[in-house]
Amino acid sequence: MANIYEGAVEVSRRTMTLFFIVDASGSMDGAKMGTLNSAIEEVIPEIRKISGENADAAIKIAVLEFSSGTRWITPAPMDAEDFTWSFLTADGLTDFGEACKQLNEKLSRKAFMGDVAGSFAPAIFLLSDGEPTDEYASSLAKLKENNWFKKAIKVAVAIGEDANRDVLAEFTGNKEAVLTVHTPEALTKMIRFVSVTASQIGSKSSGVGKGGVDEAANKQDEMIDKISEVKAAEPDDDGDLEW
């Protein structure tokens, strides 16, 4: 009897890239960077699990750090299954404008978005504790013209009171997508919440808009709804140590 599965071709899943854009300037040194490193390392297995169980898309991870200049920790997006977090160190300035420029260059089918099977809009997670030290307005303006960026789920975490929340709101497109934390416990919670929730929402097919603007807008709205729920449930940071 012939094997009915003989010659069957496995259908490749689309991909969804989760970008971590991390402020590694000198003001992040100590508890902030230590907490960030540990929290992201601990959440990676959950992202792997979401990716492995997802019939619609495989999740990839890309990491950009910015301080005095920028550095892609991942030369290209890596499958969550193969990704291991590399602990970052903090030093230097806060070249946020350069980070926007680098992200804009990679959000292209000629760069990070050229997956053969096709890509869902990415999820972009920005973490920062300070004020840009370079000219960022022109680079951010160009980034906001990028169609992949327009469609992306965008969330930012402001770490401590010195973080410029207005700049982070410019990046995400609205202040509702900016979370503020003042303690290591809160930072750990928010890194897990954003990473897991953005991965879940970003890597599913909504069946609306077929990956276009409608689907992307729905996903960003869904993410903001989840953020609003968290803010309502936990209006104040917990823990004793504040930055």
Side-chain angles (χ1 to χ4, degrees):
M1 182 177 178
N3 184 345
I4 61 173
Y5 297 107
E6 187 176 351
V9 177
E10 182 179 348
V11 178
S12 297
R13 291 185 297 167
R14 294 165 71 185
T15 62
M16 193 285 292
T17 301
L18 172 62
F19 286 84
F20 289 96
I21 312 298
V22 181
D23 180 350
S25 61
S27 58
M28 286 286 292
D29 193 29
K32 294 176 184 177
M33 188 58 79
T35 301
L36 184 151
N37 279 319
S38 297
I40 296 180
E41 181 185 45
E42 290 170 6
V43 82
I44 295 302
E46 293 190 61
I47 297 173
R48 288 195 196 111
K49 186 172 185 290
I50 295 168
S51 179
E53 295 176 350
N54 192 316
D56 293 324
I59 297 173
K60 293 189 175 185
I61 297 172
V63 184
L64 174 66
E65 68 167 355
F66 62 100
S67 53
S68 295
T70 61
R71 179 170 71 107
W72 283 102
I73 307 302
T74 48
M78 293 183 63
D79 289 331
E81 186 64 34
D82 302 322
F83 180 82
T84 301
W85 181 256
S86 297
F87 274 46
L88 306 181
T89 57
D91 188 30
L93 303 176
T94 311
D95 287 348
F96 176 66
E98 182 62 24
C100 291
K101 179 181 177 182
Q102 288 296 321
L103 181 58
N104 184 43
E105 290 179 359
K106 297 302 184 184
L107 288 176
S108 164
R109 292 197 184 278
K110 296 180 180 179
F112 282 8
M113 310 308 294
D115 194 273
V116 174
S119 300
F120 283 116
I124 303 173
F125 186 9
L126 170 63
L127 301 109
S128 180
D129 76 332
E131 183 93 23
T133 51
D134 62 348
E135 194 286 312
Y136 74 89
S138 58
S139 295
L140 179 55
K142 289 180 181 177
L143 175 62
K144 292 174 79 169
E145 294 174 359
N146 183 302
N147 285 330
W148 284 109
F149 187 79
K150 289 178 183 178
K151 296 177 182 179
I153 294 172
K154 297 176 284 289
V155 183
V157 169
I159 304 172
E161 279 303 312
D162 292 334
N164 190 322
R165 288 181 288 278
D166 291 337
V167 171
L168 299 183
E170 282 185 64
F171 182 88
T172 62
N174 55 63
K175 62 182 180 181
E176 288 79 13
V178 179
L179 290 150
T180 301
V181 298
H182 298 95
T183 68
E185 293 85 356
L187 178 58
T188 298
K189 283 184 179 181
M190 289 306 105
I191 285 175
R192 181 186 179 281
F193 161 70
V194 174
S195 300
V196 169
T197 308
S199 295
Q200 290 170 333
I201 294 173
S203 62
K204 70 180 180 181
S205 176
S206 69
V208 178
K210 298 182 180 180
V213 175
D214 290 341
E215 180 174 290
N218 288 342
K219 289 182 177 182
Q220 178 71 356
D221 288 344
E222 186 176 348
M223 187 72 209
I224 290 174
D225 286 344
K226 296 292 186 183
I227 291 171
S228 298
E229 291 174 10
V230 168
K231 287 181 176 180
E234 299 185 24
D236 299 312
D237 283 348
D238 54 3
D240 297 325
L241 175 62
E242 288 202 9
W243 290 304

